[in-house]
Every structure is written in C-alpha cells, then in structure tokens.
Amino acid sequence: MELDIPIVPEPPELPKAFSYLARLSALEAERTYQIRSGHFTILSKGLADRTFPLSDIVELRLRFQPTRIQTNRYECLLKQKNGQRIKIANELYQGIADFSDQSNSYREWIHHLVREVGYHSPNCRMVTGCTAPVWWGYLLMLLAVYAFLIALVIIFAMAIPAAAITKVVFMVVMTPLAFRWFRKNREQRFNATEIPKDVLPS
C-alpha cells in the first residue's frame, strides 16, 4: 500500500539579504538587521558585525508598546539560547521626541523574520503581548493610578478647578490608549503562518 507523505518545502531563499534599519533611542547607535540563508546579522556603526544562526532564537514575541510620544509603537523581541535579547520597533529614532514611522517596512520585515525563524527554529516559542504576571501587574497599577487621580480631582475641584480639569483631560486622553494596550497584549501562542493582526501596525 502506498502512502501519500506530505512534503514540507523549504522557504524560498531570499533574493538578497533582507534588511531593516532600526534605532530605538539616543542611547543606541543606528543599526541594520539582516536575515539571509538561515542567519541573522546585526550591522552597527562603529561596532563589529555580529551574526548568529536563526536556529539560536528560542522565543519571538510581538507586542504593542506605546508611549505618550509614540502612541502607535510596536515591538518584536527576540531571545537567543544564550539569553541575549534583541528589541526591534516600527519607529526609528531621529532626535529628541522625533520618531519616523516605518510601519510598512516593519510589517514586511516581521513577516519574513517570522517565516524564516519558523523554518530554521521550529521549536521557537512564538507569542504575542506580555506575560500574565506583567499584564495583571500593569492592570493593578493602572487602577491604582486612576484611583489616585480621581481622589486628586475631588480635592482640586473644590480648591483649584483648573487643576482638576487638567487631571480629567489626562484621564480622557490616556484611557483609550490603555484599553488598546490591554486588549492587544494578552499573551497567546501563534504559528509562523498566522501572525495576529493586533500585534502588527495597521
């Protein structure tokens, strides 16, 4: 009896080293990340190039990580076997409070990266969001902050109305962003062929 055994093809070889330019803040130099032929390379100005096999990646985490300035910031966190971590974001630091949006190239880069890691490191743990303790910890901290702000609003409303209005405006502005963070960042596993849309910029 003949059995039909499915053949899992290798991912098509990238025509060239697929690159992504990145800089998170003023504290780090501009760098270029490249993936090709099963390897990940980091090119940094003034530093020696570093290359390691994609099979060394044991965890790939995608999450929504906004700040007051960067309200549409997304991150990819890579963890290697040796414990080293790499953080990649969709916004490029240009100067103080100045970030350029690279969402289109970031999405394309992440799709290539996830596909390549999924093939070369099949046991890699691919997850979204943050760990449960961190998620619940942020929730409790947010509730405490809101309770404190509400108390201040009550106090200042009687003595300094303008200060109370400022606190209310802050809560109104930040609440939608906080809800987005909690909705998008619940931890869940995913596979290399189905990246959840919530952890990629639209």
Side-chain angles (χ1 to χ4, degrees):
M1 180 176 64
E2 295 184 359
L3 297 177
D4 292 329
I5 301 177
I7 299 175
V8 180
E10 294 187 11
E13 186 62 39
L14 296 175
K16 59 180 180 178
F18 198 80
S19 303
Y20 182 76
L21 182 66
R23 189 182 184 190
L24 295 175
S25 69
L27 301 178
E28 71 172 34
E30 187 174 277
R31 61 189 61 180
T32 299
Y33 298 108
Q34 292 183 345
I35 46 175
R36 186 179 185 184
S37 301
H39 287 78
F40 190 103
T41 300
I42 303 174
L43 310 171
S44 301
K45 292 183 177 179
L47 298 174
D49 298 348
R50 182 160 72 91
T51 299
F52 60 88
L54 289 174
S55 57
D56 279 357
I57 298 176
V58 295
E59 183 178 278
L60 187 155
R61 183 180 294 274
L62 300 175
R63 66 185 184 183
F64 175 56
Q65 199 70 6
T67 67
R68 282 182 294 180
I69 297 174
Q70 298 169 268
T71 57
N72 193 47
R73 187 171 185 264
Y74 290 79
E75 288 181 349
C76 172
L77 304 177
L78 302 176
K79 181 180 178 181
Q80 299 172 243
K81 289 178 181 178
N82 60 10
Q84 291 188 342
R85 298 172 185 271
I86 298 171
K87 181 187 294 185
I88 306 167
N90 68 315
E91 296 189 354
L92 179 69
Y93 176 82
Q94 302 280 11
I96 299 176
D98 182 14
F99 296 86
S100 60
D101 186 1
Q102 301 188 130
S103 292
N104 290 334
S105 56
Y106 176 81
R107 279 196 310 272
E108 187 178 7
W109 160 261
I110 291 299
H111 278 288
H112 281 288
L113 177 64
V114 168
R115 183 198 66 176
E116 294 292 311
V117 171
Y119 176 76
H120 293 284
S121 184
N123 294 322
C124 175
R125 184 171 181 264
M126 296 189 178
V127 289
T128 65
C130 56
T131 62
V134 171
W135 194 92
W136 284 105
Y138 276 132
L139 179 60
L140 293 175
M141 183 174 67
L142 182 68
L143 293 176
V145 168
Y146 274 113
F148 178 70
L149 288 176
I150 290 172
L152 288 180
V153 168
I154 294 173
I155 294 172
F156 284 123
M158 295 180 289
I160 313 175
I165 293 174
T166 300
K167 298 294 186 296
V168 171
V169 170
F170 175 82
M171 292 172 64
V172 170
V173 171
M174 295 306 295
T175 296
L177 189 60
F179 275 121
R180 284 181 66 200
W181 189 93
F182 285 107
R183 178 176 59 82
K184 290 173 176 284
N185 281 333
R186 274 193 176 277
E187 187 177 53
Q188 61 175 317
R189 298 288 293 267
F190 69 93
N191 60 58
T193 60
E194 297 179 359
I195 303 176
K197 294 180 180 180
D198 276 348
V199 288
L200 287 177
S202 57

